[in-house]
Amino acid sequence: GDSAWAAGDFVAARVAYQRSLATDSTSVRASYRLAIMQSWAGHLDSALALLRHARTVEPDDPDVRFSEAQFLGWNGRYAASIARFDTLLLQHPERRDAVLSRAQVLAWANRFAEADSAYSTLLQINPGDLQAQAGLAQVAAWRGDFADAVRRYLAVLSRDSTNAEALVGLAQVYHWQGRERAATSYADRALAALQLRRLAPTVI
């Protein structure tokens, strides 16, 4: 399973990890990787069940705990997600990915001031953090401050012209403003950027 995963053959990896779990139900790696693949397919309840199983074997695995918090957020269970991130960050405050994902969930939960604070903390550590900058732009847009959102998104694109988050964000803002030609242009650029990203999937 690990070899297939590393090679990007996720169909073969799924089969191998399923066989691994059938013979050894305590395989945390198999449960974790299968959960990741289930999340890619949008099967979040199944993914969370696999992660809960992995935590019965290894309750303190930080990657399993991170994914559980992340998937809870994707599943709309914001309070539970934030609580899981808070617990994880108490033990692993260095995990930027957890701080970033927690900020995103705070924004989804309309807790905009807290989301702003979390993104700003990341920018204090690294002023060039484009994901945090795009996060602040998204929060500004959701608060209705379109001018600030556009300014922040354009600042991200000045550093990375293919940044999908900024391109999608600008398309949304321009659509909300009724500027459909600009919205369509940025949406097309976002689709191209996302297509490039799909051609090079992240191996976890």
Side-chain angles (χ1 to χ4, degrees), residues 144-162:
D145 190 346
F146 296 150
D148 187 46
V150 169
R151 178 182 65 81
R152 290 182 182 277
Y153 280 134
L154 289 175
V156 172
L157 291 175
S158 71
R159 300 281 302 279
D160 175 11
S161 63
T162 64

Side-chain angles (χ1 to χ4, degrees), residues 49 81 123 150 160 184:
S81 173
L123 287 173
V150 169
D160 175 11
T184 299

Side-chain angles (χ1 to χ4, degrees), residues 17-201:
Y17 286 133
Q18 288 171 337
R19 288 175 178 168
S20 175
L21 274 183
T23 58
D24 178 12
S25 64
T26 65
S27 175
V28 172
R29 184 187 297 273
S31 294
Y32 172 65
R33 291 275 173 81
L34 284 170
I36 296 295
M37 286 187 277
Q38 287 292 85
S39 77
W40 290 344
H43 304 314
L44 294 176
D45 289 336
S46 175
L48 286 165
L50 284 162
L51 293 177
R52 283 194 298 271
H53 174 72
R55 290 198 66 188
T56 64
V57 180
E58 182 52 69
D60 293 325
D61 185 298
D63 292 327
V64 172
R65 293 169 63 194
F66 169 81
S67 291
E68 183 181 39
Q70 186 178 53
F71 296 169
L72 284 166
W74 292 353
N75 211 24
R77 297 165 62 182
Y78 303 140
S81 173
I82 293 165
R84 297 290 200 288
F85 278 127
D86 287 344
T87 302
L88 175 62
L89 286 166
L90 281 175
Q91 295 179 321
H92 300 278
E94 77 287 351
R95 287 202 60 147
R96 172 189 170 276
D97 57 351
V99 177
L100 188 68
S101 292
R102 178 180 178 275
Q104 178 68 84
V105 176
L106 286 166
W108 290 339
N110 295 326
R111 294 165 61 174
F112 296 139
E114 293 171 85
D116 269 344
S117 177
Y119 286 128
S120 296
T121 296
L122 288 172
L123 287 173
Q124 288 172 4
I125 297 169
N126 175 17
D129 190 325
L130 296 185
Q131 287 179 294
Q133 290 178 17
L136 283 173
Q138 183 182 67
V139 172
W142 289 354
R143 276 199 307 241
D145 190 346
F146 296 150
D148 187 46
V150 169
R151 178 182 65 81
R152 290 182 182 277
Y153 280 134
L154 289 175
V156 172
L157 291 175
S158 71
R159 300 281 302 279
D160 175 11
S161 63
T162 64
N163 186 284
E165 287 74 19
L167 292 168
V168 169
L170 273 174
Q172 290 175 332
V173 170
Y174 287 140
H175 171 68
W176 292 335
Q177 291 180 315
R179 300 170 61 183
E180 296 303 334
R181 182 175 296 179
T184 299
S185 175
Y186 279 103
D188 289 342
R189 288 174 59 184
L191 287 172
L194 290 168
Q195 181 62 32
L196 287 174
R197 182 182 294 183
R198 282 194 292 269
L199 292 175

